Amino acid sequence: MPEKKATHNVSYSKIKYTPRAKHVSGAKSNEVTVSAGTALKQKEAKKSRSLLEYKRFYFFSALVVPLLLLSRSTTYFGLVTDSLKARFAFLTYLPLTFQIAALASLAIAGYFLNKVAKPYIRFAWNCFILPLLTKKPDGLDSAEHQKRLEQFYAGQADIYDITRRRLLRGRNTMLKLCAAQLRQIYPVQFAANYLSGKVSESNNESFLASPPLSPSLIANTEKRYAWIDIGGGTGENIERMNHVFPIQNFDRVYLVDITPSLCEVARKRFERLGWTNVKVLCMDAEKLELPKEDGDLEIALITMSYSLSMIESFFGIIDRIQTVLSPNGIFGVADFYVSHKRSNDTHRNMSWFMRWFWSIWFDVDNIYLHPCRRDYLEHKFSTVKSLSCRNHFVRPFVKIPYYIWVGAQKESLNAPFSLDTDEATKVEGPSNDEDETRSQNSEGEDVDVDDEPEDDVLVDDKPFHEVVFVNKSNHVPPDHVHGQGYRWRQPFDSKLIPRFNTYIYAFAWEDPKIDLDFMDMKPTDKMLTITSGGCNILEYATKVGPARIHAVDLNPCQNNMLELKLAAIASLEYKDFWQLFGEGYIPNFSQLIDTHLSPQLSPHAYQFWKQNAGFKNLHKTGCSGLAIRVFELVIRLRGLRKTVDRLCSTTSLEEQVKIWREELRPHFLSKWLIRILNNDRFLWGALGVPPAQMQMLLEEGSAHEYAVNTFDPIMENTLLLSENYFYYLCLMFKYTPTNCPAYLTESGFKTLQSNPERLDAIKIHTDTIINVLEREVADGELNHIILMDHLDWFSHEDADAEIAMTARKVTKGGKAYWRSAGKYPWYNEIFEKHGFRVYPLQIREEGKMYIDRVNMYASFWAGEKLN
């Protein structure tokens, strides 16, 4: 528990106030005193001092003693002088122009040191040397705490901003995440200029997508909203925030800081900017009281940027924030940290040396990094987004740990979305919800994921498919006003995350047109399918819009890809959506995640895309992207780029066949290339083909025969330019507006965006199919289940267990569908054993080698549930 602070009886009549103290609001009313001069002085009783406190004596002794010793030997100095003259005598023989240039270079270097490096020299002096030479106040009360901070900042307040921008990382990200959440809830009267690029005072502008603002929940426009920036220092954060969430949207903005020298800089900043709705309060934040003349205000946002770690007793301030923050408000923190010795989150963990080193290093400047500060934050508030990061301050050696945390009150007033009243409070299955982020953003920040144990408990007295979500974690539940991140993603065991570092498929590799032709799907149907790249799921939602689509994948990264597509549909304009998923690249993607997509992404998906935001082409990422890059290398090495361009641009099928057979086929289907690529590592790592499935394929013929039977029919039956977006993408690394999946067309995009119920019908599960069927689906509930080709990977026992569970969950007359590398897969008889009528839909055999636009599988089967 925090210690009770001492009360000081201050006689204001005996204190000489500096001019700046008169300008700083709250200095007098909150027992914060500022005496004349730069140092805060107070008469104190003299105390006996230990030998360790004579730092000045030791420092000057260390300088003077060596000089005295050296001065005793004039001969030594003479020898040194002669040696230097002899060493640099060659300079006198150089041309005069060279000597002048050298002197000019020295002058420029001196000017640089004086003008550019001077602030950093002052910074180093005030941060690393001066604290060792001065005695710090050691009390815990407000006055003593203020003295320590003023002593530290008085000599560098005017250079604080310029010297902290590389050191205090993560502030931009924290502000953008807060702004994104605010736009979901509070009225937005002024829109930010998204063309300004990075959130900073820089005038350099870079392109950034400009989607429409999210709809606000304007329940009562008569309310007045405020933002409190605690420990706001010089006010730079408030100026930064104006780039993403204009300050005019707040009726009042309060900068609260206990340090007078920093408050003076902030006051001058806001006077220069002309922001009359911003006030500077020089006061102890634990005693925070807003000016009564400002009337009733709803505190929509509170932020702390590298200030929580500088507060001695932090319990009181966090408790005070909890009482002040609105039920729908947002609390954002960016700060340094160290981890516990052991944590459920492996990414937050640090070695014993790093924990010890950074704690001792920052302790010199009265910055306290014990993990209990972050723990108490997460205990008192629900976490919305959280990142554990590394600031590469001096590459590659110095990596300063810091974190970004955005939270909300545990109880909110209203929810922004729901399928219906009951659906919004249900979750279909148990798991651990452990959310934070290991990532690398555009500024080179390593971001770690924070995991929490046993987040969600299921009530057992209800049927398993109607269980109520009981949230005992530190994360917002789905029905929270800031719980949009769980709109589609279902909670899962985050122990799966370390097992997968990327997705296999950036795009689906099964032809959805064939699926829809055979399934006869209706809007009232319920189905389950493997997530894969998510393209086929969005195809079904676009063309039909089933009542429920369970998307299942054990690989969390595959589900992250689907989440990204869903969030983009819900948040972006079509032109920006097309750039990202049609062209494969949009500038400033990392910023787009923070400013527009983050409210719709689960913490898991947010962490993943911040980590992988640096791609140049989305279609070249993941394991499938590796395969594309391999063939791109072959094209470049063989000088086939122009030939491939002609193949993909011709409008004549005859010409396409001719180019393929005469110019490309000898290279792509050469036996040496197939022999090189025919190894388990490439087949699994690039194509997603496990050894068991490859063995089934080889039973039908050689690898070369398989490649010939796949690609020749494609070139002879479909025109790549207009009919086959699968192979056009692989060769051209992008789609065209007329040759792409339905959800990527403008009409398909508008269908999904204007009918959000089609998106909300999708539930994303990170688990095995058998577990999802058992826990999340009622018996006889599903009309369709699409198993793709994954049964090829299974043993007989595993296939039997999954097919038996499938038989329980599919309704009478419902159907299961599967593809296989074999023409007659061995597990067909297992389906028959469990009550399915099995029949082929397509088999690739002599006389009919072309079966769909992918043509990778030897067969496509269906099983109808008979009873």
Side-chain angles (χ1 to χ4, degrees):
M1 294 297 294
E3 296 184 11
K4 185 176 181 180
K5 295 193 173 182
T7 302
H8 293 269
N9 296 321
V10 182
S11 176
Y12 291 101
S13 61
K14 296 181 180 180
I15 296 174
K16 181 180 178 181
Y17 286 93
T18 61
R20 74 175 171 218
K22 296 178 181 179
H23 289 293
V24 179
S25 305
K28 185 173 180 178
S29 61
N30 291 280
E31 301 182 5
V32 177
T33 62
V34 186
S35 59
T38 57
L40 301 177
K41 300 179 180 179
Q42 183 179 358
K43 291 183 179 180
E44 301 174 350
K46 292 185 177 180
K47 302 176 183 178
S48 59
R49 302 175 67 185
S50 68
L51 291 176
L52 294 178
E53 291 180 322
Y54 288 91
K55 297 177 182 176
R56 293 184 182 85
F57 175 76
Y58 300 145
F59 180 77
F60 287 109
S61 297
L63 291 177
V64 173
V65 171
L67 291 176
L68 291 175
L69 293 175
L70 290 175
S71 65
R72 295 176 60 87
S73 178
T74 56
T75 304
Y76 175 78
F77 284 109
L79 292 174
V80 171
T81 303
D82 294 340
S83 175
L84 291 174
K85 287 181 179 179
R87 190 178 299 273
F88 296 101
F90 72 94
L91 293 175
T92 60
Y93 299 102
L94 293 176
L96 181 61
T97 55
F98 182 86
Q99 296 183 40
I100 293 174
L103 289 174
S105 299
L106 290 174
I108 293 172
Y111 177 83
F112 174 82
L113 289 174
N114 183 58
K115 294 294 183 180
V116 180
K118 186 176 180 180
Y120 298 97
I121 295 172
R122 285 177 59 193
F123 164 74
W125 168 261
N126 282 277
C127 290
F128 306 126
I129 299 176
L130 190 60
L132 300 176
L133 306 179
T134 56
K135 176 176 173 56
K136 303 182 185 71
D138 56 3
L140 288 175
D141 56 83
S142 297
E144 291 289 287
H145 182 53
Q146 186 196 45
K147 288 180 181 180
R148 278 193 298 273
L149 293 178
E150 182 67 9
Q151 185 183 77
F152 184 75
Y153 288 118
Q156 54 176 318
D158 58 326
I159 61 169
Y160 180 90
D161 292 337
I162 192 173
T163 56
R164 294 320 197 270
R165 285 174 186 161
R166 278 187 53 81
L167 178 63
L168 307 183
R169 301 295 284 274
R171 293 179 292 170
N172 291 347
T173 300
M174 183 267 287
L175 292 172
K176 287 184 284 189
L177 289 173
C178 290
Q181 292 297 144
L182 288 174
R183 284 197 296 270
Q184 311 300 308
I185 308 301
Y186 291 98
V188 179
Q189 299 176 359
F190 300 91
N193 176 17
Y194 291 103
L195 297 179
S196 62
K198 289 185 177 180
V199 184
S200 69
E201 295 179 297
S202 172
N203 293 323
N204 295 327
E205 294 188 349
S206 57
F207 173 80
L208 183 61
S210 53
L213 295 172
S214 301
S216 300
L217 299 177
I218 308 178
N220 185 355
T221 56
E222 298 299 321
K223 287 187 177 181
R224 301 169 67 244
Y225 305 102
W227 167 26
I228 304 175
D229 188 22
I230 297 177
T234 63
E236 185 180 21
N237 283 351
I238 296 176
E239 187 169 355
R240 288 173 178 231
M241 183 63 146
N242 189 58
H243 290 272
V244 290
F245 196 83
I247 300 305
Q248 296 96 315
N249 287 305
F250 296 104
D251 295 277
R252 282 286 182 268
V253 177
Y254 299 100
L255 185 151
V256 180
D257 201 289
I258 200 173
T259 312
S261 57
L262 298 181
C263 288
E264 182 182 6
V265 175
R267 178 183 58 79
K268 292 179 178 179
R269 180 193 297 270
F270 301 136
E271 285 182 355
R272 171 177 57 84
L273 294 171
W275 290 348
T276 57
N277 62 332
V278 182
K279 288 189 176 182
V280 179
L281 304 179
C282 187
M283 63 191 305
D284 184 349
E286 190 173 345
K287 302 174 182 178
L288 178 63
E289 294 291 343
L290 301 182
K292 294 181 179 179
E293 62 268 20
D294 289 341
D296 293 332
L297 292 165
E298 179 175 331
I299 307 304
L301 175 64
I302 297 178
T303 54
M304 298 184 73
S305 175
Y306 291 91
S307 55
L308 182 61
S309 58
M310 301 192 74
I311 298 173
E312 297 274 358
S313 180
F314 58 91
F315 296 102
I317 181 63
I318 294 177
D319 291 343
R320 180 61 179 151
I321 290 172
Q322 189 182 37
T323 63
V324 170
L325 184 64
S326 163
N328 288 345
I330 283 293
F331 183 19
V333 178
D335 214 329
F336 301 113
Y337 86 100
V338 294
S339 68
H340 286 288
K341 183 175 182 179
R342 298 178 183 88
S343 172
N344 289 320
D345 172 21
T346 58
H347 299 298
R348 189 188 296 194
N349 285 343
M350 303 166 66
S351 68
W352 70 268
F353 178 77
M354 287 293 101
R355 296 197 306 273
W356 171 83
F357 174 79
W358 290 118
S359 295
I360 298 300
W361 177 270
F362 282 106
D363 186 79
V364 173
D365 291 329
N366 293 302
I367 299 174
Y368 311 104
L369 306 190
H370 195 280
C372 63
R373 295 170 184 263
R374 190 173 179 181
D375 291 345
Y376 195 60
L377 267 181
E378 295 173 341
H379 169 69
K380 299 295 285 187
F381 296 90
S382 292
T383 299
V384 178
K385 294 289 186 295
S386 185
L387 313 173
S388 298
C389 318
R390 301 293 184 273
N391 175 7
H392 298 261
F393 190 67
V394 179
R395 292 179 180 271
F397 306 107
V398 180
K399 299 180 181 180
I400 305 174
Y402 70 97
Y403 71 96
I404 301 162
W405 179 89
V406 175
Q409 297 280 24
K410 290 184 178 292
E411 298 293 335
S412 60
L413 294 180
N414 53 359
F417 65 87
S418 65
L419 274 174
D420 50 57
T421 304
D422 298 327
E423 200 74 65
T425 58
K426 294 178 184 177
V427 65
E428 298 186 353
S431 83
N432 299 331
D433 184 23
E434 310 164 358
D435 313 317
E436 270 187 31
T437 299
R438 176 155 220 254
S439 79
Q440 173 140 23
N441 65 15
S442 59
E443 298 176 336
E445 301 169 346
D446 291 332
V447 184
D448 301 346
V449 184
D450 296 347
D451 302 327
E452 303 299 333
E454 298 299 330
D455 293 28
D456 308 312
V457 178
L458 296 177
V459 180
D460 294 327
D461 58 350
K462 292 179 177 286
F464 67 88
H465 59 285
E466 295 182 352
V467 293
V468 177
F469 184 90
V470 180
N471 185 27
K472 291 190 176 181
S473 74
N474 66 321
H475 296 281
V476 290
D479 59 341
H480 192 280
V481 70
H482 292 290
Q484 301 98 315
Y486 293 100
R487 183 175 176 181
W488 303 290
R489 193 68 169 261
Q490 304 304 298
F492 68 96
D493 186 353
S494 65
K495 293 186 178 70
L496 289 170
I497 293 175
R499 294 174 53 185
F500 302 91
N501 59 6
T502 189
Y503 41 85
I504 297 177
Y505 308 105
F507 44 86
W509 203 237
E510 290 81 18
D511 191 344
K513 181 180 181 300
I514 301 300
D515 294 351
L516 291 171
D517 288 345
F518 285 112
M519 284 196 294
D520 189 27
M521 189 184 298
K522 299 177 180 62
T524 56
D525 287 350
K526 296 182 179 181
M527 64 180 298
L528 179 146
T529 182
I530 296 174
T531 303
S532 186
C535 303
N536 289 7
I537 292 170
L538 294 175
E539 189 89 6
Y540 308 145
T542 303
K543 294 291 187 64
V544 180
R548 173 67 69 214
I549 303 177
H550 293 283
V552 184
D553 209 300
L554 188 62
N555 184 344
C557 305
Q558 290 291 171
N559 288 332
N560 294 337
M561 174 62 78
L562 176 57
E563 255 198 275
L564 179 67
K565 293 175 179 179
L566 291 169
I569 291 170
S571 306
L572 302 182
E573 285 185 342
Y574 176 69
K575 62 183 179 64
D576 302 318
F577 181 77
W578 172 260
Q579 268 196 292
L580 179 56
F581 296 105
E583 300 289 341
Y585 176 74
I586 188 170
N588 296 315
F589 176 61
S590 181
Q591 295 183 57
L592 192 68
I593 296 173
D594 294 330
T595 57
H596 298 86
L597 302 179
S598 61
Q600 304 289 343
L601 291 173
S602 71
H604 299 289
Y606 174 77
Q607 85 177 26
F608 179 83
W609 290 114
K610 286 294 286 185
Q611 176 184 357
N612 296 280
F615 58 79
K616 295 300 181 182
N617 189 314
L618 181 63
H619 305 308
K620 294 183 182 180
T621 59
C623 295
S624 59
L626 174 60
I628 289 177
R629 295 195 300 274
V630 167
F631 282 98
E632 182 185 19
L633 178 63
V634 173
I635 291 170
R636 186 167 61 249
L637 293 177
R638 307 292 294 195
L640 300 174
R641 185 68 260 171
K642 292 183 178 179
T643 305
V644 170
D645 290 344
R646 287 194 293 114
L647 177 77
C648 294
S649 61
T650 181
T651 58
S652 168
L653 187 61
E654 292 75 13
E655 184 180 0
Q656 175 179 286
V657 172
K658 182 179 179 181
I659 295 172
W660 167 252
R661 288 197 174 276
E662 296 180 2
E663 301 181 57
L664 291 176
R665 191 179 188 274
H667 301 283
F668 285 179
L669 297 186
S670 62
K671 292 186 177 181
W672 67 268
L673 178 61
I674 294 176
R675 189 176 297 113
I676 291 174
L677 300 181
N678 185 19
N679 64 82
D680 291 344
R681 179 170 295 182
F682 178 80
L683 290 171
W684 173 245
L687 301 178
V689 178
Q693 189 174 40
M694 188 61 189
Q695 184 59 40
M696 292 181 65
L697 184 150
L698 293 177
E699 291 175 0
E700 304 289 344
S702 67
H704 183 265
E705 290 174 345
Y706 172 79
V708 169
N709 292 336
T710 296
F711 296 118
D712 279 351
I714 288 292
M715 297 301 172
E716 294 169 359
N717 290 274
T718 63
L719 195 62
L720 299 188
L721 176 63
S722 58
E723 299 174 349
N724 195 320
Y725 60 76
F726 295 97
Y727 289 96
Y728 183 91
L729 172 67
C730 294
L731 294 173
M732 301 302 292
F733 322 125
K734 63 180 181 179
Y735 295 107
T736 69
T738 58
N739 188 24
C740 61
Y743 76 94
L744 276 176
T745 63
E746 187 168 7
S747 61
F749 174 82
K750 290 181 178 178
T751 296
L752 293 175
Q753 195 172 66
S754 60
N755 296 278
E757 68 277 2
R758 295 195 180 203
L759 298 181
D760 293 335
I762 299 171
K763 287 188 177 294
I764 302 175
H765 307 274
T766 307
D767 207 335
T768 61
I769 287 180
I770 193 169
N771 285 342
V772 172
L773 287 173
E774 184 174 10
R775 299 173 182 173
E776 319 293 339
V777 181
D779 290 351
E781 179 180 339
L782 299 178
N783 304 98
H784 310 279
I785 180 167
I786 302 176
L787 300 174
M788 294 187 178
D789 65 324
H790 86 290
L791 288 173
D792 284 356
W793 310 3
F794 280 18
S795 66
H796 188 281
E797 293 76 10
D798 291 336
D800 185 77
E802 182 170 300
I803 293 171
M805 184 60 65
T806 299
R808 278 180 51 191
K809 304 302 178 176
V810 174
T811 187
K812 182 179 179 181
K815 295 179 181 179
Y817 303 88
W818 61 95
R819 288 178 167 86
S820 177
K823 295 179 181 178
Y824 300 92
W826 54 268
Y827 44 81
N828 281 3
E829 61 185 28
I830 301 179
F831 277 97
E832 292 175 341
K833 182 181 75 172
H834 289 287
F836 286 91
R837 179 178 68 86
V838 177
Y839 57 95
L841 300 176
Q842 294 175 318
I843 297 179
R844 196 174 75 180
E845 54 191 357
E846 201 64 39
K848 191 181 179 182
M849 299 304 293
Y850 173 77
I851 60 175
D852 60 36
R853 291 176 295 177
V854 175
N855 211 43
M856 282 282 186
Y857 300 99
S859 62
F860 183 26
W861 293 80
E864 181 182 0
K865 178 74 177 299
L866 297 178
N867 49 56

